[in-house]
Amino acid sequence: MAGHAPCSAPLPGSLADPAPICAGAVCRPCPIALRPAPPAPNMAAPSVSCGAAVPYRLFLAGRVSFAREQGLWKAAASGLQTGTRCQILRLKHSPAVTTKKNVAALRRESYTVDFIKKQIEEFNIGKRHLANMMGEDPETFTQEDVDRAITYLFPSGLFEKRARPIMKHPEEIFPKQRAVQWGEDGRPFHFLFYTGKQSYYSLMHEAYGKVLHAEERQDQLRAKGLFSEKSKSKDPIGSRWLIKEELEEMLVEKLSDQDYAQFIRLLERLSALPCDAAEEEFVGRFRRTVTVQSKKHLIEPLQYDEQGMAFSTGQGKRKTANAEAVVYGHGSGKIEINGVDYLLYFPVTQDREQLMFPFHFLDRLGKHDVTCTVSGGGRSSQAGAIRLAMSRALCSFITEDEVEWMRQAGLLTTDPRVRERKKPGQEGARRKFTWKKR
Amino acid sequence: IMLKGMTRLVSRVHKAKHGEQHVGQHYNISIQELKTVFPHGLPPRFVMQVKTFNEACLMVRKPALELLHYLKNTNFAHPAVRYVLYGEKGTGKTLSLCHIIHFCAKQDWLILHIPDAHLWVKNCRDLLQSTYNKQRFDQPLEASIWLKNFKTANERFLSQIKVQDKYVWNKRESTEKGSPLAEVVEQGIMRVRNATDAVGIVLKELKRQSSLGVFRLLVAVDGVNALWGRTTLKREDKSPITPEELALIYNLRKMVKNDWQGGAIVLTVSQTGSLFKPRKAYLPQELLGKEGFDTLDPFIPILVSNYNPKEFEGCIQYYLENNWLQHEKAHTEEGKKELLFLSNRNPGLLERLCAYL
């Protein structure tokens, strides 16, 4: 991947790289600004005169052909200038090592289609190698298997999940970039190019067109007397509008908050009108489902032992303590830990209060018997682990609402706090050495 | 102003008529009696509670009732029977013992109550070489304190019982044969150096004379497992002392042997003051060790367990009546359930918990 200097010869045939939106070379064509590759590079004529001698490495629009003819000047001779400000005399050599750090270039690193393709091939080959290493079938090696293999081969203790090693398809790693939006003659493809936010405005235009269309239809229906109140069936179903980041990602261009608000308002207006299938589908593209189900974990069914007593197991962890609890229905409130009564095992009241919490929350203080085993950790973490295990086991005995209340009370969540490691140069995890002025 | 009189929910029962149906109810001991019968021997928290509530109420519980039943039916011609109260920490062994003692005091027995044998095997500042026997050690402080309390508890007997031997204390003082026991006790209190020997004499005399049937003797020792364990005391050359080498312990061991008639021996084993015993040990075998167990061997063990639901209710009612539980939820069912869970019906724990409410 070569960074390119955003230099452009002031020469007439130059393919000046416009500063703002699209960096020159591209990896993927923008969905809206998709343009077919223009036929032959030799469309426009007087290209050759422009300093072909200077070996610029201009990576140009997403066309393989261009990539082949790197060093040469292209035919976009009619001088594309976004603003009228020509970049005059910005003849810059771009050797491999620049003395001045080119911040602008570093920001807009662009990837060639070639480069991306190469990455994809490498990724696929790597996936097959990985499958081979793990002893699995390369043909049926899914992304989940890849993730699992990577976590196995490169175990990382970092707390930040995004800092851990990953191996994903290049599409997910390299950011999406837009194709160059103008042709060889320098004319932009999209009619709204000069608005600056072409995809956004074209979307607004489309949506508004649909709104007008729907209103027209509504008027017609009303005129005919076949108008009926449309019931809103979309909102109650767990779905939500796209958020601004998602919309930006979809359009591959920056939006402002007001733009986003305007767009959502328009979509709401559209959805309020009687729509037909095409419009529903259009609106559906901008809704995402909110899965309530994902919050709930699976509820285990009750098991029954020999005497017919219902029981249920649960496991819990807290800070290196592991606990497993078996909760029996119809008990008398006895709790036995590792064969010892909980009164003897936890002489401290605080620990016993922790054990009491799930039952007290559900008002089932004297109704269940518990037998549990616990190992590891200290006094307090063992209490926390048992509490979690008991709550999870109790889930089988209670209604869904109560499970939801427990979840909101924090009884069903594993406490992620673990002991932070001590760093070199400091006395502890956070504490620094005493600072001495001299 | 506390509610007194008939409006009390918890009824007070006359102690002599304690029966099965009174389990869970409290009975009252007047403060006067408390001072006489229990100059020492009540657990410190109970003493604080007595001071707070201005009255002493003990709960009637099954182990105590059982013991009382046995005591009522003892045959004084047979050798003294040994009863051992054992149980987990905080279940009420000491208070049960106190119940028994009070009963026996009312019945006019002579009470020989050692409040905590563990106090005699640890934290002793001054150890003297015994005058009587060069091998053993004296503990003047502990002995004199005990003698004082013994005197308060059994005033009326001390003048009646006559010593049957002559004891020479030192060149100037001696006790003649036939003089009342009170003199021995006085001697021990005055001359602290001879206190331990005085204790030894008292024990010997009482043992001898109770077989004669003049009075009934109740030997009550709390924490009897101290007699056979280890001590934390050391000689000047830092070598540890075994309990036998302490004169007090030696004499007490003789007392606890069942080779005399005319009384009963009630003992408690407890982990709380014990030395070098694991926290979870509560069975007599574990706490007494092999030696102690063999010595005490034919004994009647009585388990003191946590409250049963009725007793628990009774206890809560008692606290509520004395306005001890100030928390608004303490009256409600849920509050009671919480307390039940947290203390798991352990009396000691319950008392500590309620102290915060």
Side-chain angles (χ1 to χ4, degrees):
Chain A
M1 183 209 67
H4 75 294
C7 57
S8 40
L11 307 163
S14 71
L15 224 57
D17 215 341
I21 307 172
C22 339
V26 78
C27 55
R28 53 181 32 248
C30 163
I32 297 186
L34 194 60
R35 284 289 174 265
N42 301 319
M43 254 175 18
S47 56
V48 197
S49 54
C50 335
V54 183
Y56 282 78
R57 298 183 48 180
L58 271 185
F59 289 89
L60 305 172
R63 293 148 228 176
V64 182
S65 48
F66 273 26
R68 263 189 265 120
E69 299 162 298
Q70 277 177 23
L72 302 178
W73 278 110
K74 287 304 163 291
S78 36
L80 172 78
Q81 270 93 31
T82 32
T84 40
R85 296 170 258 115
C86 268
Q87 287 115 341
I88 310 175
L89 283 174
R90 281 222 290 150
L91 216 78
K92 246 197 288 190
H93 288 262
S94 56
V97 175
T98 35
T99 43
K100 180 165 71 100
K101 182 170 168 187
N102 210 333
V103 178
L106 283 176
R107 224 185 10 211
R108 269 185 307 262
E109 303 183 60
S110 47
Y111 309 101
T112 353
V113 171
D114 253 5
F115 173 75
I116 295 296
K117 270 209 186 139
K118 200 154 63 86
Q119 295 294 315
I120 295 180
E121 278 165 24
E122 280 181 7
F123 172 74
N124 285 326
I125 295 177
K127 220 163 77 154
R128 294 183 75 90
H129 277 306
L130 192 62
N132 213 6
M133 269 198 278
M134 301 297 288
E136 312 232 355
D137 181 18
E139 305 299 329
T140 54
F141 204 55
T142 59
Q143 184 59 42
E144 291 159 3
D145 298 326
V146 170
D147 290 333
R148 248 187 301 127
I150 293 291
T151 38
Y152 170 71
L153 291 169
F154 301 97
S156 155
L158 299 173
F159 287 128
E160 176 66 62
K161 305 269 191 226
R162 291 177 289 182
R164 296 182 178 179
I166 47 170
M167 177 164 159
K168 298 236 189 274
H169 194 87
E171 288 190 5
E172 296 167 35
I173 299 186
F174 295 105
K176 288 198 220 173
Q177 288 170 343
R178 308 175 70 145
V180 166
Q181 309 297 318
W182 50 94
E184 286 181 3
D185 53 352
R187 287 187 69 226
F189 299 128
H190 203 278
F191 69 103
L192 286 175
F193 177 79
Y194 289 108
T195 57
K197 298 182 252 194
Q198 61 175 47
S199 20
Y200 168 71
Y201 281 115
S202 76
L203 190 63
M204 291 288 280
H205 179 72
E206 206 183 322
Y208 191 62
K210 289 205 192 306
V211 164
L212 288 178
H213 189 64
E215 280 183 352
E216 203 184 288
R217 215 182 38 245
Q218 195 185 41
D219 288 338
Q220 284 174 0
L221 280 182
R222 240 194 230 130
K224 285 189 208 158
L226 296 172
F227 180 68
S228 57
E229 278 303 327
K230 180 183 170 200
S231 57
K232 205 81 223 77
S233 62
K234 281 209 226 51
D235 287 347
I237 306 173
S239 66
R240 55 167 180 88
W241 293 117
L242 282 186
I243 50 173
K244 179 158 167 276
E245 280 77 19
E246 286 180 354
L247 190 60
E248 281 188 358
E249 197 196 1
M250 205 160 114
L251 304 178
V252 199
E253 67 187 11
K254 288 260 185 300
L255 297 177
S256 76
D257 288 330
Q258 293 87 4
D259 296 336
Y260 171 70
Q262 192 76 0
F263 178 62
I264 294 295
R265 251 180 274 149
L266 193 59
L267 279 183
E268 299 252 332
R269 194 171 147 197
L270 176 59
S271 58
L273 301 168
C275 309
D276 59 358
E279 284 160 13
E280 299 262 344
E281 189 254 321
F282 175 74
V283 173
R285 271 175 27 204
F286 302 103
R287 288 204 80 108
R288 296 276 177 267
T289 40
V290 170
T291 38
V292 184
Q293 291 299 321
S294 59
K295 283 191 227 159
K296 282 194 232 171
H297 59 272
L298 307 156
I299 301 184
E300 308 78 19
L302 278 181
Q303 304 166 53
Y304 291 88
D305 66 354
E306 299 90 44
Q307 279 91 26
M309 174 84 100
F311 74 96
S312 154
T313 39
Q315 299 204 328
K317 269 204 236 213
R318 166 96 212 264
K319 222 201 213 185
T320 63
N322 286 299
E324 178 170 342
V326 180
V327 174
Y328 296 93
H330 312 300
S332 64
K334 271 200 295 88
I335 303 189
E336 189 154 323
I337 309 176
N338 285 355
V340 184
D341 195 36
Y342 71 109
L343 200 62
L344 299 180
Y345 197 80
F346 289 126
V348 182
T349 316
Q350 175 198 339
D351 300 333
R352 272 175 280 135
E353 279 177 11
Q354 287 287 303
L355 292 191
M356 189 173 80
F357 184 22
F359 295 114
H360 184 246
F361 187 75
L362 300 167
D363 264 337
R364 285 166 179 244
L365 265 177
K367 297 192 193 146
H368 293 283
D369 259 350
V370 183
T371 315
C372 43
T373 48
V374 70
S375 61
R379 173 207 88 188
S380 189
S381 34
Q382 279 188 345
I386 299 181
R387 182 185 105 175
L388 181 60
M390 280 202 307
S391 330
R392 287 209 179 131
L394 269 180
C395 282
S396 324
F397 288 95
I398 53 180
T399 60
E400 307 255 325
D401 284 339
E402 291 184 328
V403 172
E404 185 61 24
W405 294 338
M406 280 225 290
R407 188 192 64 83
Q408 287 181 353
L411 275 169
L412 298 177
T413 336
T414 323
D415 201 331
R417 299 179 285 180
V418 193
R419 191 174 155 265
E420 200 173 308
R421 106 173 225 215
K422 173 197 175 317
K423 284 105 189 172
Q426 294 177 2
E427 197 169 309
R430 299 282 172 104
R431 155 124 178 115
K432 323 280 187 278
F433 288 120
T434 317
W435 179 72
K436 295 214 172 52
K437 200 160 182 180
R438 46 188 74 79
Chain B
I1 305 289
M2 288 199 300
L3 295 167
K4 283 220 189 257
M6 290 317 182
T7 49
R8 274 245 170 89
L9 298 168
V10 174
S11 61
R12 305 302 150 98
V13 191
H14 183 61
K15 63 228 154 307
K17 299 200 225 94
H18 290 161
E20 284 289 322
Q21 67 277 22
H22 298 304
V23 169
Q25 290 172 356
H26 290 85
Y27 81 94
N28 211 339
I29 312 177
S30 65
I31 312 279
Q32 264 30 63
E33 276 182 29
L34 212 68
K35 284 209 196 95
T36 358
V37 180
F38 296 116
H40 57 184
L42 288 175
R45 285 195 81 100
F46 187 70
V47 171
M48 283 196 283
Q49 184 181 310
V50 166
K51 195 154 159 241
T52 319
F53 292 166
N54 246 349
E55 59 170 9
C57 283
L58 281 186
M59 189 193 275
V60 177
R61 292 187 71 194
K62 206 151 152 299
L65 278 180
E66 209 182 310
L67 246 185
L68 286 179
H69 179 72
Y70 292 145
L71 282 179
K72 279 182 214 162
N73 303 344
T74 20
N75 186 346
F76 293 106
H78 290 211
V81 189
R82 289 186 280 229
Y83 306 93
V84 174
L85 288 165
Y86 70 102
E88 311 229 330
K89 183 169 152 182
T91 42
K93 304 180 281 286
T94 312
L95 273 185
S96 300
L97 195 67
C98 295
H99 187 166
I100 310 290
I101 292 175
H102 185 242
F103 176 80
C104 294
K106 278 288 183 238
Q107 305 278 316
D108 249 2
W109 292 36
L110 201 154
I111 313 283
L112 192 74
H113 180 42
I114 288 105
D116 196 355
H118 292 298
L119 294 174
W120 289 358
V121 296
K122 52 182 178 178
N123 298 344
C124 179
R125 291 298 174 84
D126 34 5
L127 273 182
L128 304 172
Q129 204 183 31
S130 168
T131 41
Y132 184 68
N133 186 339
K134 290 285 179 289
Q135 311 291 0
R136 305 202 203 118
F137 290 92
D138 261 4
Q139 285 154 300
L141 263 180
E142 281 90 13
S144 56
I145 297 171
W146 186 81
L147 276 175
K148 274 200 218 95
N149 288 328
F150 177 69
K151 190 169 133 188
T152 342
N154 299 305
E155 290 272 12
R156 55 186 187 284
F157 287 102
L158 292 178
S159 35
Q160 294 169 9
I161 304 172
K162 305 285 182 245
V163 178
Q164 286 173 357
D165 267 342
K166 181 172 158 159
Y167 298 105
V168 179
W169 301 107
N170 49 28
K171 284 199 214 98
R172 274 172 242 154
E173 291 163 17
S174 67
T175 317
E176 298 304 319
K177 178 170 166 180
S179 49
L181 203 58
E183 256 192 51
V184 177
V185 177
E186 276 306 318
Q187 182 72 27
I189 296 176
M190 305 277 236
R191 298 270 176 270
V192 184
R193 282 194 55 186
N194 306 38
T196 322
D197 294 328
V199 172
I201 294 170
V202 163
L203 293 180
K204 198 163 74 172
E205 288 298 321
L206 287 176
K207 192 163 155 185
R208 222 191 289 171
Q209 297 193 8
S210 78
S211 316
L212 304 173
V214 181
F215 53 82
R216 316 239 191 89
L217 181 62
L218 175 74
V219 179
V221 185
D222 203 333
V224 77
N225 46 328
L227 299 185
W228 288 282
R230 286 157 60 181
T231 62
T232 41
L233 308 172
K234 295 196 175 55
R235 289 186 205 118
E236 283 87 21
D237 52 355
K238 310 278 179 124
S239 54
I241 306 181
T242 49
E244 292 88 42
E245 297 177 13
L246 289 169
L248 283 175
I249 309 289
Y250 186 76
N251 293 325
L252 201 52
R253 277 195 198 179
K254 282 195 277 188
M255 205 63 208
V256 168
K257 263 203 300 196
N258 55 351
D259 49 0
W260 50 277
Q261 301 104 332
I265 311 177
V266 184
L267 310 168
T268 325
V269 281
S270 98
Q271 195 277 334
T272 321
S274 70
L275 301 162
F276 307 105
K277 288 279 185 280
R279 183 169 62 90
K280 310 227 171 139
Y282 72 98
L283 297 167
Q285 175 133 33
E286 299 166 346
L287 285 173
L288 287 172
K290 189 162 180 322
E291 202 192 321
F293 194 81
D294 290 334
T295 327
L296 281 185
D297 200 354
F299 65 85
I300 302 181
I302 303 180
L303 172 67
V304 183
S305 58
N306 292 331
Y307 283 152
N308 52 20
K310 211 165 128 204
E311 289 173 346
F312 182 78
E313 272 299 318
C315 190
I316 300 273
Q317 284 300 325
Y318 176 61
Y319 286 138
L320 282 174
E321 275 186 3
N322 289 34
N323 295 339
W324 188 231
L325 302 174
Q326 292 294 322
H327 200 268
E328 54 281 348
K329 269 223 201 129
H331 303 272
T332 60
E333 267 309 304
E334 312 142 1
K336 282 187 200 148
K337 276 200 224 168
E338 275 182 52
L339 283 174
L340 210 158
F341 188 97
L342 275 182
S343 64
N344 201 17
R345 289 195 240 118
N346 185 306
L349 271 181
L350 182 64
E351 198 264 314
R352 266 163 231 262
L353 269 181
C354 296
Y356 293 113
L357 297 175

